[in-house]
């Protein structure tokens, strides 16, 4: 079993990183993972630096005692462990969105714990049983083939990372193991684990209900029997691999011929249509486009919006030139025979919520921390003249027609982009007064500098291949490409 685990881990990352993090809840799956890592470590010439992290959600009474017991069990395996306490406001614990809130907090806690210890790889104990549960849950939601294929065995943290933050890679080396195998590992090696009774309550969460049905197949029709589901899951995963392979081929063609571009300053994606793209099935088209589009979506977790993009692409054509999906406006430009993707202009009460107040750095000439604006741009400021600097610096989105006259000295009327594109560019305010659009090269001197950077895809450099400047899209007579005041 150790050899199989080493093979699975080696297939994800080679060589095995010298420093590893483990996400350990204390249940049988994560304790089996801890045992396997510990056993593998004992066979290596140079020992690994292993840190296990247990998140105490603080929801159930006695959760702190349970976390301490998990630490004790991990110490018996020779693994250094840390308890990460989640601190949530009382009202959030009873929110109908508690699971989502808790997941986001857990993601941040694990990232911060790894980053502070220079850990770049975090292992999770998801099993093949978890994949089956995910398949059925997503089947009920009507997910696409990509979603039905389940969790990736390797990927980046879903947390959006500021430019200065190091990446964190998630590894799931146990997805080829069943829960029964992990029970056997723990029992045969006298590994202690904690059994969370809520995991067996089918009314506690949707996943619990699905798990209960899979464990009681007599309640399921023939086509949803565990063996039938396993067969379908394997078929879907194989189909996903074929789709991804074809997508990679077309993506390479688009890159080589400069047909797909991402304007980093203005948050615009352009795809010049070609037969290679149009011949792809819609599921493959949306898979390809999600790679660059996730960087301009004003969403914290855009990976779940692929079906929306797929539906929008199906509607586009001569009779429907513009559609909106996942807060992205997709325009079919017949003149250039291209799809142009931008952030959809906010409407109504949305505008009020899209505002960020940036604390001014206390030290002259020192950059502030990065702050995420509109889930698209990382922004920071630096005070260059304390006497001229405002008390309050803000960034928002607003109707550009209100402010064109204010900036016509800097940018003539003939140089302005189309109004719907300006409407989604960050507008800087000094003490509530508009002073410019940095992404358009417009910023009145007010004693401070501004830097904006389009978010990356989960902290990776995967989409840097798309970087390009699409000034021609804006129908401007000259480029005013600046990031700083």
């Amino acid at each position: 079993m150790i050899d199989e685990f080493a093979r699975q881990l080696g297939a994800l990352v080679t060589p095995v990183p010298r420093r590893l993090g483990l996400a350990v809840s204390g249940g049988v799956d994560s304790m089996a993972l801890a045992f396997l890592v510990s056993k593998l470590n004992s066979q290596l010439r140079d020992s690994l630096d292993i840190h296990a992290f247990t998140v105490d959600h603080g929801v159930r009474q006695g959760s702190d005692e349970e976390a301490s017991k998990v630490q004790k069990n991990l110490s018996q395996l020779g693994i250094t462990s840390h308890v990460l306490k989640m601190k949530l406001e009382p009202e959030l614990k009873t929110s109908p969105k508690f699971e989502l809130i808790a997941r986001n907090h857990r993601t941040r806690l694990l990232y911060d714990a790894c980053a502070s210890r220079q850990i770049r790889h975090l292992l999770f104990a998801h099993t093949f049983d978890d994949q089956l549960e995910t398949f059925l849950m997503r089947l009920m939601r009507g997910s696409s083939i990509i979603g039905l294929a389940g969790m990736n065995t390797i990927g980046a943290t879903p947390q959006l990372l500021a430019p200065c933050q190091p990446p964190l890679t998630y590894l799931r080396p146990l997805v080829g193991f069943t829960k029964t195998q992990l029970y056997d590992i723990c029992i045969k090696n006298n590994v202690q684990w904690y059994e969370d009774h809520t995991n067996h309550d089918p009314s506690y969460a949707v996943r619990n209900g699905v798990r209960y049905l899979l464990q009681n197949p007599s309640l399921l029709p023939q086509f949803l029997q565990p063996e039938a589901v396993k067969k379908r899951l394997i078929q879907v995963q194989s189909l996903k691999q074929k789709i991804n392979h074809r997508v990679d081929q077309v993506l390479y063609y688009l890159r080589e011929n400069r047909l797909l571009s991402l304007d980093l300053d203005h948050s615009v994606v352009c795809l010049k249509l070609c037969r290679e793209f149009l011949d792809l099935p819609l599921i493959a088209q949306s898979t390809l486009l999600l790679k660059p589009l996730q960087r301009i979506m004003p969403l914290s977790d855009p990976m779940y919006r692929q079906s929306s993009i797929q539906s929008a692409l199906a509607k586009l054509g001569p009779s429907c030139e513009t559609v909106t999906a996942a807060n992205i406006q997709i325009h079919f430009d017949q003149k250039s025979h291209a799809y142009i993707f931008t952030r959809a202009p906010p409407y109504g009460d949305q505008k009020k919520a899209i505002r960020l107040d940036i604390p001014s750095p206390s030290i002259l000439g020192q950059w502030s921390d990065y702050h995420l604006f509109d889930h698209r741009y990382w922004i920071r400021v630096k005070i260059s003249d304390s006497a001229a600097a405002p008390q309050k610096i803000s960034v928002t989105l607003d109707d550009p027609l209100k402010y064109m006259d204010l900036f016509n000295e800097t940018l003539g009327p003939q140089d302005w982009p189309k109004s719907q594109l300006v409407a989604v560019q960050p507008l800087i305010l000094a003490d509530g007064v508009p002073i410019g659009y940095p992404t358009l090269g417009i910023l009145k001197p007010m004693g401070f500098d501004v830097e904006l950077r389009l978010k990356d895809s989960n902290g990776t450099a995967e989409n840097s291949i798309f970087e390009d400047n699409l000034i021609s899209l804006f129908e401007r007579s000259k480029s005013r490409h600046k990031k700083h005041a």
Side-chain angles (χ1 to χ4, degrees):
M1 197 68 73
I2 298 297
D3 291 340
E4 176 61 17
F5 172 73
R7 189 185 71 80
Q8 296 282 359
L9 182 59
L12 299 180
V13 57
T14 303
V16 175
R18 308 314 303 170
R19 187 169 293 168
L20 285 176
L22 310 180
V24 179
S25 65
V28 65
D29 299 348
S30 58
M31 289 306 299
L33 172 66
F35 169 78
L36 291 169
V37 171
S38 175
K39 197 70 174 177
L40 176 64
N41 191 33
S42 67
Q43 298 177 359
L44 299 176
R45 179 179 301 176
D46 299 321
S47 296
L48 304 176
D49 184 13
I50 305 168
H51 294 260
F53 303 105
T54 301
V55 177
D56 177 8
H57 295 77
V59 177
R60 299 194 316 274
Q61 188 174 2
S63 62
D64 54 343
E65 296 178 6
E66 294 169 6
S68 297
K69 291 178 181 178
V70 173
Q71 275 195 300
K72 182 179 179 181
N73 293 338
L74 288 166
S75 67
Q76 293 174 354
L77 296 176
I79 294 177
T80 302
S81 62
H82 314 269
V83 175
L84 312 178
K85 292 188 176 293
M86 186 180 294
K87 298 178 181 179
L88 295 175
E89 299 297 330
E91 60 270 18
L92 294 179
K93 296 180 181 180
T94 57
S95 168
K97 295 183 178 181
F98 171 74
E99 286 189 49
L100 175 62
I101 294 169
R103 185 183 68 186
N104 291 338
H105 276 261
R106 185 166 59 245
T107 297
R108 285 193 291 271
L109 283 173
L110 289 170
Y111 176 82
D112 291 342
C114 289
S116 64
R117 294 170 177 83
Q118 291 78 52
I119 294 172
R120 303 290 178 259
H121 296 82
L122 181 63
L123 274 62
F124 290 84
H126 295 108
T127 66
F128 190 72
D129 296 66
D130 294 315
Q131 291 283 55
L132 289 180
E133 294 166 10
T134 299
F135 174 82
L136 288 179
M137 289 171 64
R138 293 181 178 177
L139 185 65
M140 289 188 292
R141 291 204 305 257
S143 295
S144 68
I145 291 172
I146 304 301
L148 290 174
M151 296 171 284
N152 293 322
T153 54
I154 183 170
T157 171
Q159 179 170 328
L160 292 176
L161 302 179
C164 57
Q165 291 181 292
L168 177 64
T169 300
Y170 284 9
L171 303 174
R172 297 183 177 89
L174 296 184
V175 292
F177 291 74
T178 65
K179 186 176 284 288
T180 299
Q181 288 177 302
L182 300 187
Y183 270 115
D184 290 343
I185 289 172
C186 288
I187 292 171
K188 290 179 181 178
N189 295 281
N190 197 29
V191 177
Q192 302 298 309
W193 73 86
Y194 172 76
E195 201 73 55
D196 185 352
H197 68 277
T198 62
N199 286 337
H200 302 284
D201 180 358
S203 64
Y204 189 77
V206 174
R207 182 174 289 274
N208 288 21
V210 171
R211 182 180 302 130
Y212 177 79
L213 290 173
L214 287 172
Q215 292 172 350
N216 296 271
S218 61
L219 300 175
L220 291 168
Q222 189 64 34
F223 72 94
L224 286 179
Q225 291 293 312
E227 286 304 317
V229 175
K230 288 179 184 179
K231 182 179 179 181
R232 291 289 178 263
L233 174 58
I234 292 172
Q235 289 174 337
V236 167
Q237 289 176 334
S238 175
L239 183 56
K240 178 185 175 181
Q241 288 181 343
K242 293 177 181 178
I243 290 173
N244 284 338
H245 177 67
R246 180 58 183 150
V247 164
D248 288 341
Q249 290 178 325
V250 176
L251 196 54
Y252 177 81
Y253 175 85
L254 296 177
R255 285 187 217 144
E256 289 296 299
N257 292 276
R258 300 183 65 80
L259 299 175
L260 179 63
S261 302
L262 167 62
D263 184 335
L264 289 175
D265 272 357
H266 308 102
S267 186
V268 179
V269 170
C270 178
L271 170 66
K272 294 181 180 179
L273 297 181
C274 61
R275 180 53 52 194
E276 285 73 13
F277 176 82
L278 294 174
D279 282 346
L280 291 174
L282 278 174
I283 181 66
Q285 290 182 9
S286 59
T287 299
L288 185 154
L289 285 170
L290 192 63
K291 293 174 181 291
L293 288 185
Q294 62 181 308
R295 295 189 67 181
I296 69 171
M297 285 184 187
L299 302 169
S300 59
D301 196 354
M303 293 304 293
Y304 296 102
R305 305 306 176 104
Q306 180 171 351
S307 58
S308 298
I309 298 298
Q310 182 176 333
S311 298
L313 291 175
K315 298 176 183 177
L316 282 173
S319 60
C320 181
E321 294 185 353
T322 302
V323 294
T324 299
N327 281 37
I328 291 291
Q329 188 175 85
I330 310 172
H331 176 68
F332 173 56
D333 186 68
Q334 295 195 43
K335 184 178 179 181
S336 60
H337 199 58
Y339 287 158
I340 299 172
F341 305 83
T342 63
R343 190 233 196 270
Y347 57 88
D349 293 338
Q350 282 187 340
K351 293 181 180 179
K352 298 178 182 178
I354 306 173
R355 184 185 176 104
L356 171 68
D357 295 327
I358 305 171
S360 298
S362 56
I363 301 176
L364 186 69
Q366 177 177 296
W367 286 106
S368 69
D369 292 334
Y370 280 103
H371 300 272
L372 186 62
F373 172 67
D374 194 33
H375 286 291
R376 291 186 299 148
Y377 287 99
W378 289 103
I379 182 171
R380 63 177 181 171
V381 298
K382 177 175 66 175
I383 303 300
S384 56
D385 184 347
S386 55
Q391 295 293 316
K392 184 178 181 181
I393 302 172
S394 307
V395 57
T396 187
L397 299 181
D398 208 342
D399 184 355
L401 297 179
K402 296 180 183 178
Y403 310 113
M404 288 183 68
D405 291 342
L406 294 176
F407 307 122
N408 277 345
E409 291 182 4
T410 308
L411 197 66
Q414 74 280 2
D415 296 329
W416 278 84
K418 295 178 180 179
S419 60
Q420 65 266 33
L421 295 177
V422 182
V424 297
Q425 302 304 309
L427 173 66
I428 303 296
L429 309 175
D431 291 331
V433 178
I435 64 167
Y437 294 94
T439 56
L440 302 180
I442 310 169
L443 196 64
K444 293 183 178 181
M446 287 292 291
F448 67 95
D449 299 330
V450 179
E451 179 187 89
L452 291 106
R453 296 190 185 186
L454 192 63
K455 69 179 179 183
D456 215 333
S457 54
N458 295 335
T460 72
E462 176 187 7
N463 288 322
S464 62
I465 52 176
F466 300 111
E467 295 174 11
D468 200 1
N469 201 345
L470 308 179
I471 295 298
S472 59
L473 286 177
F474 292 82
E475 297 183 354
R476 291 161 60 180
S477 60
K478 54 186 176 180
S479 169
R480 295 180 181 274
H481 178 68
K482 295 181 181 179
K483 283 189 179 179
H484 300 276

